[in-house]
Amino acid sequence: MSTTSLPASARTPRLREALIGAAFTADGLLERLGAPAYAALARSETVPALRATRGDSPLDTLVRLFLLQSPVPAARAAAALPLEECVEDGWVVSEGDLVRATVDVRPYGGPEGEDWFIVSDLGCAVGGAGGIGSHEEAVVLGVGGASTTLAGITVRRPVASALDLGAGSGIQALHAAQHATQVTATDLNPRALEFTRLTLALSGAAPADLRVGSLYEPVGTSTYDLIVSNPPFVISPGARLTYRDGGMGGDDLCRTLVQQAGDRLNEGGYAQFLANWQHVEGEEWQDRLRSWVPQGCDAWIVQREVQDITQYAELWLRDSGDHRTDPAAYAERYEAWLDEFEARSTKAVGFGWITLRKSAAAGAGDPSVVIEEWPHSVEQPLGPAVEAHFVRQDYLREHDDAALLAAHFTLSDEVVQEQVGLPGAEDPEHVVLRQNRGMRRATKVDAVGAGFAGVCDGSLPAGRILDAIAQLMAEDPVLLRDRTPQAIRLLVEEGFLEPVRGGA
């Protein structure tokens, strides 16, 4: 574990002012480096960025110092920073005529264009100078794809209290600080909480209540309106790397995290997690995850990716740099991963999002639990779509088939109709409704479904629309009313149709 002391945060406003003044921001980086060099950083390739910053501007200096972790001449550092303060506070160290950074500082654009900065260990901003590959147990990573995914799917509404469990470098706490009155951040690694403190301070955000400990232990019986966690979800043999390995057998850490969330949520509160889960021989993965959902909570679980056990082991062995070690040692570690999976009858590992919402209906024994596989592209941020999903589930629970037929609906924004069939054919083989926003779903509909969706403008109840369609298609209106509510229910559940409030 690293024992290097971390910078002080008391004078971060002056450092923040210098960084922004030099355009060391997400937008400034893109403009200075250009798209190819900027994209190369995400692949941990630094040569293009080094070439782009061969000048002597303050921005060039800051990119090389904090993002690429290259020593810079002291005179150039003094022109870009309040150098004496930064040395005293520990952000940089002087080595003769050169200055080098002690931490990785990565510009990060907030959802409303805020200029934020994520502070992490050197070389461990995901896609930063060194990329991942550290064997150091307590290394603290910066911003990466998993953390931005969680930030994007999180429901953003004003709340009194939020909990970032396993805060790491503080990305989720930083987002939560924009809409929560009080943010609590926990981590098993005390060093991670120090990075959270730095991230919040350098980004100009309010400080969080920082607590050391595992899972929910640091917060006792406290409850929250929002819980978010990008936990160490990797299913591995042992707990070698704190930043990624859960330290419990199989997917027990993620299961425990989800199952215990219900007792920590206030009524109407959300808990949102990234997780891995096992696909076990002889067991449906959906059943496994359904057993995780705590009583009193609705749930929406989306599996985004599945890897067989060899792909999964190779991914994380490369992550820790084991593929660059002695071949015999690599083979031994690989065997250990496969032994672990074989012992647990695990054939694959799934990755995805888990959202819980505490609700009175679920507490009364009528939970809404939706578990689905969706490996297709989505449009971030998805927070509004997540919240809308649960609103629609409430609506469907409260409306039986008769109530649906009496209700009014409108076609959701950005839904288009596609007709699929052979060129020149009189009628299409099938019709597809497709969303261009949010989850970007597509669903096949028959002629009745297409016609129904096409005329839903909120002016007529669903039953009246079906009666008109029955007359046009020479169908029995009673039979059509009987068989269509289930199709309407699906179109509402998946967000193709929006109920008109007060129209039923």
Side-chain angles (χ1 to χ4, degrees):
M1 179 173 178
S2 175
T3 57
T4 305
S5 60
L6 296 180
S9 59
R11 292 188 284 194
T12 50
R14 278 178 50 81
L15 175 57
R16 172 177 169 80
E17 182 180 344
L19 298 179
I20 293 175
F24 186 63
T25 63
D27 290 341
L29 276 183
L30 180 58
E31 183 176 349
R32 181 68 185 94
L33 300 181
Y38 191 81
L41 283 178
R43 303 189 298 271
S44 298
E45 296 290 348
T46 60
V47 172
L50 286 167
R51 289 174 61 87
T53 55
R54 287 180 294 191
D56 59 0
S57 72
L59 178 55
D60 292 332
T61 300
L62 293 173
V63 171
R64 284 177 167 253
L65 182 64
F66 285 123
L67 195 58
L68 304 179
Q69 286 112 53
S70 297
V72 300
R76 287 181 55 182
L81 293 166
L83 182 57
E84 185 175 333
E85 289 182 8
C86 287
V87 171
E88 290 177 1
D89 291 345
W91 291 93
V92 299
V93 293
S94 294
E95 298 176 339
D97 293 332
L98 295 176
V99 171
R100 65 173 177 85
T102 61
V103 292
D104 185 302
V105 178
R106 188 174 185 86
Y108 180 64
E112 302 297 327
E114 300 97 339
D115 290 319
W116 292 342
F117 301 94
I118 309 301
V119 188
S120 63
D121 270 316
L122 289 171
C124 291
V126 179
I132 306 308
S134 173
H135 291 274
E136 191 172 352
E137 177 187 352
V139 68
V140 178
L141 304 187
V143 63
S147 52
T148 56
T149 292
L150 179 59
I153 68 172
T154 300
V155 174
R156 302 294 175 194
R157 54 178 186 153
V159 295
S161 58
L163 170 64
D164 178 7
L165 196 154
S169 55
I171 301 161
Q172 308 309 323
L174 176 57
H175 278 276
Q178 312 310 304
H179 62 102
T181 303
Q182 176 62 49
V183 176
T184 300
T186 71
D187 204 288
L188 183 62
N189 179 5
R191 182 178 174 82
L193 293 179
E194 289 301 298
F195 276 114
T196 294
R197 173 179 58 81
L198 294 173
T199 289
L200 293 172
L202 194 56
S203 298
D209 177 8
L210 307 177
R211 303 188 187 185
V212 178
S214 178
L215 296 174
Y216 296 100
E217 181 272 329
V219 300
T221 59
S222 298
T223 57
Y224 300 88
D225 302 311
L226 174 67
I227 299 172
V228 291
S229 183
N230 176 17
F233 54 67
V234 176
I235 299 170
S236 62
R240 188 163 58 118
L241 300 175
T242 304
Y243 74 86
R244 69 167 205 194
D245 299 326
M248 295 185 181
D251 52 17
D252 282 357
L253 181 135
C254 291
R255 175 186 57 79
T256 302
L257 190 63
V258 174
Q259 286 183 334
Q260 294 183 1
D263 292 336
R264 273 76 179 186
L265 282 176
N266 295 324
E267 183 67 23
Y270 287 87
Q272 299 188 260
F273 313 99
L274 300 185
N276 273 173
W277 44 80
Q278 296 165 227
H279 284 227
V280 176
E281 198 73 43
E283 176 188 65
E284 294 295 330
W285 67 269
Q286 295 93 334
D287 293 340
R288 184 180 193 84
L289 289 173
R290 191 171 286 107
S291 72
W292 292 11
V293 178
Q295 286 190 331
C297 289
D298 300 317
W300 184 21
I301 301 173
V302 182
Q303 179 167 273
R304 295 287 289 158
E305 184 180 3
V306 181
Q307 291 184 310
D308 68 50
I309 56 174
T310 59
Q311 292 174 313
Y312 189 79
E314 291 161 13
L315 169 67
W316 294 109
L317 286 169
R318 287 194 301 271
D319 170 82
S320 56
D322 287 295
H323 64 304
R324 295 194 292 267
T325 62
D326 173 66
Y330 173 76
E332 184 179 351
R333 287 199 183 276
Y334 200 149
E335 286 276 6
W337 283 70
L338 297 185
D339 287 344
E340 175 78 6
F341 289 131
E342 183 177 343
R344 297 181 178 278
S345 300
T346 301
K347 58 183 180 178
V349 177
F351 166 80
W353 318 324
I354 298 176
T355 300
L356 307 175
R357 185 195 58 167
K358 194 156 191 177
S359 76
D366 186 21
S368 165
V369 179
V370 176
I371 303 174
E372 61 178 318
E373 187 162 16
W374 190 254
H376 312 293
S377 64
V378 299
E379 183 189 53
Q380 287 276 34
L382 269 175
V386 172
E387 188 170 17
H389 166 88
F390 288 95
V391 171
R392 292 194 299 268
Q393 293 301 314
D394 286 342
Y395 178 88
L396 292 172
R397 259 193 303 226
E398 296 163 1
H399 289 71
D400 59 17
D401 288 354
L404 283 182
L405 292 175
H408 297 238
F409 300 95
T410 59
L411 190 66
S412 300
D413 293 338
E414 302 293 331
V415 173
V416 297
Q417 175 179 300
E418 300 174 359
Q419 296 185 345
V420 181
L422 294 174
E426 183 175 346
D427 296 313
E429 293 179 11
H430 58 264
V431 175
V432 173
L433 298 181
R434 186 179 302 277
Q435 301 169 352
N436 288 322
R437 305 293 297 274
M439 291 291 286
R440 293 178 172 168
R441 296 187 187 277
T443 187
K444 287 184 182 180
V445 292
D446 59 15
V448 172
F452 180 86
V455 298
C456 277
D457 61 3
S459 62
L460 293 173
R464 289 273 303 278
I465 294 174
L466 290 177
D467 291 344
I469 291 174
Q471 185 174 4
L472 286 172
M473 300 182 68
E475 290 204 28
D476 185 329
V478 175
L479 293 178
L480 192 61
R481 277 176 172 254
D482 285 345
R483 76 168 194 258
T484 305
Q486 188 57 38
I488 296 174
R489 194 171 291 277
L490 179 63
L491 290 175
V492 172
E493 179 176 322
E494 295 191 341
F496 290 94
L497 293 179
E498 294 290 341
V500 177
R501 301 298 170 175

Coordinates of all heavy atoms in Angstrom, one line a residue, residues 119 140-141 164-171 186-187 191-197:
V119 N -9.0 13.8 -9.2 CA -7.6 13.6 -8.7 C -7.5 12.1 -8.4 O -8.3 11.6 -7.7 CB -7.3 14.5 -7.5 CG1 -5.9 14.4 -7.1 CG2 -7.7 15.9 -7.7
V140 N -5.6 4.1 -6.4 CA -6.9 4.8 -6.5 C -7.0 5.3 -8.0 O -6.1 6.1 -8.4 CB -7.0 6.0 -5.6 CG1 -8.4 6.7 -5.8 CG2 -7.0 5.5 -4.1
L141 N -8.0 4.8 -8.7 CA -8.1 5.1 -10.1 C -8.9 6.4 -10.3 O -9.6 6.9 -9.4 CB -8.9 4.0 -10.8 CG -8.4 2.6 -10.7 CD1 -9.2 1.6 -11.6 CD2 -6.9 2.5 -11.0
D164 N -22.4 7.8 -1.5 CA -21.5 7.2 -2.5 C -20.7 6.2 -1.8 O -19.8 6.5 -1.0 CB -20.6 8.3 -3.1 CG -19.6 7.7 -4.1 OD1 -19.7 6.6 -4.5 OD2 -18.7 8.5 -4.6
L165 N -21.0 4.9 -2.1 CA -20.4 3.8 -1.4 C -19.3 3.2 -2.2 O -19.5 2.8 -3.3 CB -21.5 2.7 -1.1 CG -21.2 1.6 -0.1 CD1 -22.5 1.1 0.5 CD2 -20.4 0.5 -0.7
G166 N -18.1 3.3 -1.7 CA -16.9 2.9 -2.5 C -16.5 4.0 -3.4 O -16.4 3.9 -4.6
A167 N -16.2 5.2 -2.7 CA -16.1 6.5 -3.5 C -14.9 6.5 -4.4 O -15.0 7.3 -5.4 CB -16.1 7.6 -2.5
G168 N -13.8 5.8 -4.1 CA -12.7 5.9 -5.0 C -12.2 7.4 -5.0 O -12.0 8.0 -4.0
S169 N -12.0 7.9 -6.3 CA -11.5 9.3 -6.4 C -12.6 10.3 -6.4 O -12.4 11.5 -6.6 CB -10.8 9.4 -7.8 OG -11.6 9.0 -8.8
G170 N -13.9 9.9 -6.1 CA -14.9 10.8 -5.7 C -15.8 11.3 -6.9 O -16.5 12.3 -6.8
I171 N -15.8 10.6 -8.0 CA -16.6 11.0 -9.2 C -18.1 11.1 -8.9 O -18.8 12.0 -9.2 CB -16.3 10.1 -10.4 CG1 -14.8 10.2 -10.7 CG2 -17.1 10.5 -11.6 CD1 -14.3 9.0 -11.5
T186 N -18.1 6.8 1.3 CA -17.4 5.8 2.1 C -16.4 5.0 1.2 O -16.6 5.0 0.0 CB -18.4 4.8 2.7 OG1 -18.9 4.0 1.7 CG2 -19.5 5.5 3.5
D187 N -15.4 4.5 1.8 CA -14.5 3.6 1.1 C -13.7 2.8 2.1 O -13.4 3.2 3.2 CB -13.5 4.4 0.2 CG -13.0 3.5 -0.9 OD1 -12.2 2.6 -0.7 OD2 -13.4 3.8 -2.1
R191 N -7.1 6.1 1.8 CA -6.4 6.9 0.8 C -7.4 7.3 -0.3 O -7.3 8.4 -0.8 CB -5.3 6.1 0.2 CG -4.5 6.8 -0.9 CD -3.3 5.9 -1.4 NE -2.6 6.5 -2.5 CZ -1.7 7.4 -2.4 NH1 -1.3 7.7 -1.2 NH2 -1.1 7.9 -3.4
A192 N -8.4 6.5 -0.6 CA -9.4 6.8 -1.6 C -10.2 8.0 -1.1 O -10.5 8.9 -1.9 CB -10.3 5.6 -1.9
L193 N -10.5 8.1 0.1 CA -11.3 9.2 0.7 C -10.5 10.5 0.6 O -11.1 11.6 0.5 CB -11.8 8.9 2.1 CG -12.8 7.7 2.2 CD1 -13.2 7.5 3.6 CD2 -14.0 8.0 1.3
E194 N -9.2 10.4 0.8 CA -8.4 11.6 0.6 C -8.4 12.1 -0.8 O -8.5 13.3 -1.0 CB -6.9 11.3 1.0 CG -6.8 11.1 2.5 CD -7.2 12.4 3.3 OE1 -6.6 13.4 3.1 OE2 -8.2 12.2 4.1
F195 N -8.5 11.2 -1.8 CA -8.6 11.6 -3.2 C -10.0 12.2 -3.4 O -10.2 13.2 -4.2 CB -8.4 10.4 -4.1 CG -6.9 10.2 -4.4 CD1 -6.3 9.1 -4.0 CD2 -6.2 11.2 -5.1 CE1 -4.9 8.9 -4.2 CE2 -4.8 11.0 -5.4 CZ -4.2 9.8 -5.0
T196 N -11.0 11.6 -2.8 CA -12.4 12.2 -2.9 C -12.4 13.6 -2.4 O -13.0 14.5 -3.0 CB -13.4 11.4 -2.1 OG1 -13.5 10.1 -2.7 CG2 -14.8 12.0 -2.1
R197 N -11.7 13.9 -1.2 CA -11.6 15.2 -0.7 C -11.0 16.2 -1.7 O -11.5 17.3 -1.9 CB -10.8 15.2 0.6 CG -10.5 16.5 1.2 CD -9.7 16.4 2.5 NE -8.5 15.7 2.4 CZ -7.4 16.2 1.9 NH1 -7.3 17.5 1.5 NH2 -6.3 15.5 1.8

